[in-house]
Amino acid sequence: MAAIVGQEKLRGALDSYRIDTMPKTLMLIGEPGCGKHLLSKALADRLSLAYVVISDEMTHDDLISYSQSPTPTMYVIEISKFSEKQQNQFLKFIEEPAKCAFVVVLADSEVGVLPTISNRCLKLFFERYSDDQLKSLMPDPSKATPDFLAVCNTPGRLKAAESQNVEGLLSLCDSIVANIGKTSWANALKLVTKVNCGDENDRFDFDLFFNALELAAFKAYKNGGTDADLAIYELVNKAKKDKANKSIAKDNFMLSFVTSMWKEANHEADRA
């Protein structure tokens, strides 16, 4: 597991497992890009387990097939891809894993995970990456400003940033926080076209956008901002948790979020 920087406590716990001591149901919890897939695959390889990522298009027949397989296998579930109804479908698969099955649930947080699933899993958490650890992964550490590292705070986010104009994103988010209460709804909706909600590679990364907007709102309020800045920060913080549910289409999520942010900012402006 040397490919992961840091995370000594988590790696130590995983390194201690043998095939006869490996938990039947395990949940790895950490922000997007922290290395959940990488560590789970490394664990499966070390224990000589087949590695199967359960698709969000799974069927009941698929689950029966998994349960009957004689091959020792790690079944990986990226839980945020599944709706509550879908999570209920494989509840029994998690509650009573087959003899040769080991289930590893990958979660950005415990938000949106059915308690009946969460309570069945041994939970292991990723720690926050330090600035030095993140800099060690950057081709050009001179770009590692405090704001850059606050937004690109996991190895996966650093990778995403390689194809992004992060300075431009930070500037855009500062402008959004400063002006969202002064612009029209029609202009506010143009923000949706700035963020990649599908395969638009010329737009800002969906995940990095929300990190940068949260940072901009926090800085604005901390530096003598208004109640509107605090309201935007709280709204963005909630949206970051809600967007973990990948069963919601990104374009619809952005449309709803921008509308709520504009209404909140203008409501606070009217009260002032």
Side-chain angles (χ1 to χ4, degrees), residues 97-260:
K99 181 179 179 181
C100 294
F102 298 87
V103 180
V104 177
V105 177
L106 308 183
D108 296 343
S109 73
E110 293 185 81
V111 175
V113 182
L114 289 179
T116 45
I117 289 178
S118 180
N119 293 339
R120 291 287 180 175
C121 298
L122 173 67
K123 302 179 189 69
L124 296 177
F125 294 84
F126 279 75
E127 297 176 339
R128 185 176 183 84
Y129 286 91
S130 71
D131 287 354
D132 287 341
Q133 289 168 346
L134 293 171
K135 288 177 184 178
S136 74
L137 299 171
M138 296 177 64
D140 184 4
S142 66
K143 295 181 180 179
T145 64
D147 285 356
F148 182 98
L149 293 177
V151 171
C152 307
N153 59 354
T154 65
R157 284 170 173 157
L158 281 178
K159 185 67 177 176
E162 291 178 5
S163 60
Q164 298 278 300
N165 177 5
V166 177
E167 288 185 3
L169 175 60
L170 290 167
S171 178
L172 170 66
C173 290
D174 285 340
S175 177
I176 290 171
V177 172
N179 298 302
I180 190 69
K182 306 171 188 175
T183 193
S184 67
W185 183 56
N187 278 335
L189 289 182
K190 293 178 182 179
L191 291 175
V192 177
T193 66
K194 301 285 187 182
V195 180
N196 183 359
C197 294
D199 297 317
E200 305 93 351
N201 294 326
D202 58 334
R203 301 183 183 183
F204 289 117
D205 179 83
F206 185 76
D207 185 49
L208 295 183
F209 170 77
F210 279 94
N211 262 20
L213 190 58
E214 181 183 46
L215 175 66
F218 175 77
K219 290 196 305 179
Y221 183 71
K222 184 179 178 181
N223 295 329
T226 64
D227 288 342
D229 296 321
L230 178 59
I232 291 174
Y233 172 77
E234 292 175 341
L235 189 64
V236 176
N237 190 262
K238 179 180 182 300
K240 285 184 63 179
K241 297 175 182 177
D242 291 343
K243 75 178 179 63
N245 183 355
K246 295 182 176 65
S247 66
I248 304 173
K250 288 182 179 179
D251 52 353
N252 292 336
F253 184 90
M254 275 297 299
L255 181 62
S256 175
F257 168 73
V258 170
T259 299
S260 297

